[in-house]
Every structure is written in C-alpha cells, then in structure tokens.
Amino acid sequence: MSRGRGCFEVKATDLLGRVGKLYTKSGVLETPALLPVVHPLNQELDVGLIKKIGFKAVMTNAYITLKRLRALAEKKGIHSIIGFDGVIMTDSGGYQTLEYGEVDVTPAEMATFEESIGSDIAVVLDRPTGFSRNRAFAEQTVKETLKAAEETIEVRRRKDVLWVGPIQGGLFTDLVAESAEKASALPFEIHALGSPTEVMKTYHFTHLVKMIISAKTKIPLNRPLHLFGAGHPLTTPLAVALGCDLFDSASYILYAKDDRYLTHTGTLRLDELVELPCSCQICTEYTLNEIRSSDRAERIKLLAAHNLYILQSEIKQVKQAIFEGRLWDAVAIKARSHPKLWSAFEEMTRYSKILEDGTPIFKPRAIYLYSKEDLRRPEVYRAYARIKRDFRFEERSFLILATIPGEGRLLATPFCKRLLKEGVGDYQLLFLSPAYLLTPIEISEIYPLSQTLYPSSLTHALSTRTLQKGLERVIKKGGYKQIIAVCFDKHLHQKLTTLARRLNLTLLDYCGEGSSKQLEAAEQILRIIRSSQV
Ligand SMILES: [Zn+2]
C-alpha cells in the first residue's frame, strides 16, 4: 500500500467527475465516496450497520472527542472509540465555531490530537465562512484558515495520516479561488471546500456551482476534493460532475430524527408516504405501518438506515454513470427534481471548456441531446470547436447544405448514398445540425459527429443569426458558384427561407419523412449540377 503523498489514483473520468482510489492507513477508499457522520459519544445508529450497508469510511468530530474523551481516545485510538475498523476522517471542530462561536483549542493542538488518536484523514481546525454576506468577515476567515493550515503543517509528524487543507470564502468566489490557491501551495493530500451546508439548506445551488468551480480550478488534479456537509442525493451528481470526490453527511440521522425519509429526488415526511418507494433491506423487511408505529428510538434507526441505503445507492449510480460516460445525463435528469437545481445545471453548462478536461475524447456510446442546455455538452463543444478550427474548405463550384434532423450516421442516409454513388463531385456537402452547426460530410464519421441523436424539434434551438454567421464564414472560404440548400426539416424551413433570401441560396423544399423524399432531392441536386456543367 502506498502511503502519504501520491495517495490518490484516478481510474475513470467524465466531466470533472472521477472514480478513484484513495489509499489510507486503514484501507483503500473508492471515490466518489460519502462518509456518514457518526457521533463519538452518542451515536444512535450502530456503526456496524453503517459498515454492513457498504460504507468503508465514516467521519467523526475530533473536537467533541478532545473535549469529552481525550485521555481515553489518546490511549485507545479513535477506531476503538467509534468501534469502526474502516477509514475514519476526523473533522476538527471548525464547524462548531459557526454554531457556538470560538473554540478553545489552537489549530496546532488540534492537529497533534488528531494524529495522536490515529485519524486516517484529518482536517485542519479552520474558520468557516458560512453564509455570511460580510466581505470583511469572509476575508478574515480565509486568512485565519490559511494560518491554521500553516500551523498544522508545521506540527504534523505522521506520514500515514492524510491531511485535509480547507478552503473557505463562502459566497465570495474570488476569495474561494484565493483560498484554494494558497492552500494548494501547502503539502496537503486532500482539500475540502467549506460552507456549502448553508448554501444547500437555502437551495442556492447555482452558488454551489460557482463555489466548487472556483475551488476546483485552483487545486492540483491529484488531490481529491471533499465537499463539507453536502451529502444529499439531490446534489450528488452535480457536485461529482464538478469534481468533488468526497462528501460527508449527517443528514441521514438528522432527517431520521425529524421523521423524514430520503428519496433520490428529495425528502418526504413519514406521514406523507402512502408507499415505501424503495427496495432497500429496511423497506422490504418492514411495512410502512410497522415503521410508523414503532417507538421513536426504533423509528430513528429504521429511517436512518433507509436514508443511508439511498445515499449509498446514489453514489453507486454516479460511479456507474462515470464509467459509462453519461454523467452529464445523470446531472440533467436529476436537475428536473427542482427548478433551483435546474438553474444550477444551467450554470454548469457555462463551463463546457473546463468540463472538457475530464471528458473522454471517445465514448463507446452515442450522445443524446434533449434540450438547448445539452448543446453545451463538452463533447459537442469540443467537436464544434474542432470543425471550426481545423477543417479546411477547398475550392468547389457548389455548396450543398442539407438538414437531416436527428440522424445518427449521415453517410448511411438515402440522400448521402444517392449523391455519393456518383463518385466525387465538384461540390462541398455540409450537414446542418443544432449541435455542430455545419458538419462537412468528409469528417462526419469521426466521433461524436455521427453518434449524436436528438429529437428533430431541437433544431428550434438554432438561431437564424448563428446559422447565417456560420454559413457566411464557409462561403467566404469556398467561393462557391451556387449554394443549394435542401430542407427536410419543417422546423428549419422558415429560417432557411430567410437565409435563402439574404445569402442567395437555391432552396429545395423536401420537408417530410421517408427515404423517397431524400432520393428525389438527391436526384434534383445531381440534375442541377449536371446542367451547369454542359
Ligand atoms: Zn429503503
């Protein structure tokens, strides 16, 4: 087992999400991972059950441990205190300062304590910014957090404890970026972004996107990013897509105490349920009535266990989506759970270029586009930019512009087959699509140009202005004698009519389904070309 530095290996990526392995002294943790928060003194759900549900790591509070169990913890170690032989991450109590004001421990004392109790992953005693709108306060927290980080690095002794460098700044994304950059300069193994809890509670998901991007783009790729207190199924795909590898959450137990039942798209009150919409062990062993009528302590345990099953299956689904290269789809589907989450998804689409970093160049599957947001998928962005940058238009007499909506392989269409049967002609054939704007037939088989499927109505997303600009660019390069546009798509007919007038195109109308229309159109085009050559 490798220890200390170089403790993180990436196995698969999609968007900025990744499946990785984090090597700790208590074993290997596969990421993305969610760490249930357990209480060092009065944990209400048996830690053994948490392990049985499949969690390889938990998080606990080092501050409470220090205050209440110091001698015992130093003697026996945190694993024995908690009764868990997997990976233990200790939070240092920084969050307590948000709740109760100052804590009476220094960062150096806390660091020494966390190492002495054998924590696998230890967090610096930082100063969370929270949801404050006071810039001076936010600046102060960033400064104090950095100072605490430096003091911690100074006193750290153990090579086998992974240290987490916190990032603060809250709502001020420039401060988040600055905090991330400065923390990155220190020898930490992991980073953690603070203060999303308040942002999550108030559904400010758009801000969460900005915060994560600001931090993620400043930290080294080989260091995992932990998102503090943001383990809710609603935001898991989004946060993973933006590059978060680790999460912790006390929500499973807090919700259970409040009689709330987690689902993949939100939480429901126990009295709102008419069914148990889940097949976890709890929901198959117990009926809804049995859960409702059990005494409070038992009910909390049952609900907490179910909630953990949901959290665990959410992480597994996201992991599978990364391997399959459909993390974008997972985020988009989840975004339909709440309008504010949809806004956050829209915000994410602004970062196509950044998201492209982790998106494989080739995927063994087609990409599906459903909405104008999907047109900003990194695969689409990348291919569009490449055509624009790298395709050289040669001089030809004719430019043929065709629209075959939603088709996968253009070369396989009756229209193309008929045209190309005649061999190489004195024309440039371009296909118009909402994703790639103008695809030259010569490169149409390159991924993902022929592996892109969308409903024909998506061509609505193409504006006349964008089309005109794209066409003007091509026309300028090719110097064509005649431009023939053939329209098979009723959604584009009006736009092409306008462009025919503005750019002097010969517009052929073959709107409608079926291969016969395509064959007729190809015949007419060949006749036009032949007649001009005699
Ligand atoms: Zn369940």
Side-chain angles (χ1 to χ4, degrees):
M1 188 180 80
S2 68
R3 287 179 173 183
R5 284 138 196 94
C7 58
F8 186 56
E9 280 171 11
V10 175
K11 286 164 64 183
T13 67
D14 194 25
L15 308 180
L16 295 182
R18 52 230 189 134
V19 175
K21 279 181 169 182
L22 183 65
Y23 293 88
T24 80
K25 67 181 168 62
S26 296
V28 182
L29 181 61
E30 270 231 19
T31 68
L34 181 131
L35 288 67
V37 173
V38 301
H39 200 283
L41 284 169
N42 37 35
Q43 171 61 16
E44 279 153 297
L45 186 71
D46 179 27
V47 177
L49 182 58
I50 295 180
K51 194 176 168 183
K52 198 181 132 212
I53 294 173
F55 292 93
K56 302 262 189 318
V58 296
M59 185 193 238
T60 195
N61 189 299
Y63 180 73
I64 297 170
T65 309
L66 181 134
K67 284 284 145 189
R68 311 276 294 275
L69 301 163
R70 181 168 198 160
L72 191 65
E74 283 175 341
K75 187 168 163 234
K76 296 173 91 179
I78 192 69
H79 291 80
S80 157
I81 297 281
I82 301 289
F84 186 73
D85 60 1
V87 179
I88 298 182
M89 176 171 182
T90 47
D91 194 3
S92 55
Y95 192 69
Q96 268 70 22
T97 63
L98 265 187
E99 304 254 299
Y100 316 112
E102 296 298 316
V103 291
D104 48 358
V105 190
T106 68
E109 277 174 287
M110 183 52 82
T112 306
F113 177 68
E114 285 181 84
E115 288 199 343
S116 75
I117 60 174
S119 171
D120 298 298
I121 303 172
V123 181
V124 170
L125 176 57
D126 61 344
R127 187 72 198 272
T129 314
F131 203 43
S132 171
R133 293 189 186 273
N134 177 341
R135 186 170 175 102
F137 172 74
E139 279 171 4
Q140 188 61 26
T141 60
V142 166
K143 217 163 124 187
E144 283 178 30
T145 295
L146 182 68
K147 192 161 161 271
E150 287 163 349
E151 283 173 37
T152 300
I153 293 293
E154 191 87 355
V155 299
R156 76 178 278 186
R157 292 291 173 267
R158 292 183 69 157
K159 298 273 187 234
D160 58 354
V161 172
L162 307 181
W163 272 99
V164 181
I167 298 165
Q168 293 296 342
L171 297 175
F172 302 92
T173 49
D174 62 320
L175 295 181
V176 171
E178 182 193 323
S179 177
E181 197 164 10
K182 288 181 173 162
S184 299
L186 297 168
F188 285 110
E189 284 78 27
I190 298 169
H191 288 288
L193 178 59
S195 313
T197 314
E198 296 301 310
V199 175
M200 299 267 298
K201 271 189 201 160
T202 52
Y203 281 59
H204 281 77
F205 302 131
T206 303
H207 207 85
L208 185 68
V209 175
K210 292 180 188 167
M211 280 171 70
I212 299 172
I213 286 281
S214 304
K216 181 70 184 179
T217 47
K218 296 291 178 190
I219 66 170
L221 278 176
N222 57 339
R223 296 184 188 177
L225 179 61
H226 181 102
L227 190 61
F228 276 127
H232 193 290
L234 209 52
T235 46
T236 304
L238 177 73
V240 169
L242 295 167
C244 298
D245 306 287
L246 298 165
F247 303 89
D248 66 272
S249 188
S251 63
Y252 74 96
I253 192 80
L254 297 176
Y255 288 147
K257 286 180 181 174
D258 196 25
D259 275 338
R260 283 195 280 169
Y261 179 97
L262 266 183
T263 74
H264 284 285
T265 50
T267 49
L268 293 168
R269 303 198 61 83
L270 198 52
D271 54 20
E272 285 175 325
L273 288 172
V274 286
E275 284 288 341
L276 292 175
C278 169
S279 313
C280 80
Q281 204 190 340
I282 304 298
C283 297
T284 42
E285 264 179 31
Y286 295 81
T287 65
L288 177 56
N289 267 337
E290 283 168 344
I291 297 178
R292 268 189 193 142
S293 56
S294 48
D295 67 56
R296 181 168 154 82
E298 176 71 3
R299 204 164 65 235
I300 289 175
K301 283 180 188 165
L302 295 175
L303 284 175
H306 154 82
N307 290 345
L308 282 176
Y309 274 111
I310 291 285
L311 291 171
Q312 181 71 345
S313 95
E314 187 66 35
I315 291 282
K316 285 182 181 171
Q317 287 177 25
V318 169
K319 220 184 250 182
Q320 181 67 26
I322 294 175
F323 277 119
E324 286 182 30
R326 48 171 196 84
L327 185 54
W328 180 283
D329 311 70
V331 178
I333 291 167
K334 188 72 88 173
R336 301 228 177 241
S337 311
H338 195 283
K340 289 205 171 177
L341 198 58
W342 183 266
S343 299
F345 170 55
E346 286 176 327
E347 176 67 18
M348 182 186 99
T349 68
R350 293 182 52 222
Y351 304 100
S352 314
K353 197 168 161 45
I354 295 171
L355 298 173
E356 199 198 323
D357 263 359
T359 306
I361 289 177
F362 177 80
K363 289 182 174 181
R365 54 171 39 237
I367 57 172
Y368 302 153
L369 312 175
Y370 300 96
S371 69
K372 67 176 177 19
E373 287 73 24
D374 290 337
L375 297 175
R376 300 186 62 105
R377 284 183 73 119
E379 300 94 334
V380 173
Y381 167 84
R382 176 192 282 144
Y384 168 76
R386 276 202 69 187
I387 297 174
K388 202 173 160 189
R389 189 184 66 224
D390 297 340
F391 189 79
R392 177 120 30 113
F393 288 93
E394 308 293 347
E395 240 173 70
R396 302 274 164 77
S397 299
F398 292 89
L399 177 65
I400 301 168
L401 190 65
T403 66
I404 305 185
E407 277 297 339
R409 284 191 65 217
L410 297 169
L411 278 177
T413 57
F415 176 72
C416 258
K417 281 185 172 166
R418 178 64 195 94
L419 271 187
L420 298 174
K421 211 170 132 188
E422 302 289 313
V424 181
D426 185 18
Y427 59 82
Q428 172 68 54
L429 179 55
L430 286 182
F431 280 93
L432 204 155
S433 76
Y436 309 110
L437 194 57
L438 299 164
T439 306
I441 191 69
E442 295 89 329
I443 57 167
S444 68
E445 294 281 292
I446 296 174
Y447 186 84
L449 300 174
S450 272
Q451 290 84 5
T452 303
L453 300 176
Y454 55 91
S456 63
S457 57
L458 192 60
T459 46
H460 275 312
L462 255 183
S463 76
T464 311
R465 195 166 161 266
T466 309
L467 253 177
Q468 181 169 346
K469 273 174 73 180
L471 268 174
E472 280 171 343
R473 204 176 53 240
V474 173
I475 293 169
K476 213 167 110 187
K477 287 181 186 166
Y480 309 100
K481 200 164 75 186
Q482 189 178 357
I483 303 162
I484 306 165
V486 51
C487 186
F488 296 113
D489 180 1
K490 61 182 185 330
H491 299 285
L492 271 176
H493 193 263
Q494 191 50 46
K495 285 170 188 167
L496 280 176
T497 308
T498 307
L499 288 178
R501 205 172 53 238
R502 289 186 191 164
L503 300 175
N504 194 22
L505 318 178
T506 307
L507 181 60
L508 311 182
D509 181 6
Y510 283 95
C511 286
E513 306 275 317
S515 55
S516 61
K517 290 245 178 205
Q518 291 192 27
L519 289 174
E520 281 171 42
E523 294 293 352
Q524 190 183 350
I525 289 171
L526 289 169
R527 278 198 302 277
I528 294 173
I529 292 176
R530 274 189 220 111
S531 68
S532 83
Q533 285 163 341
V534 282

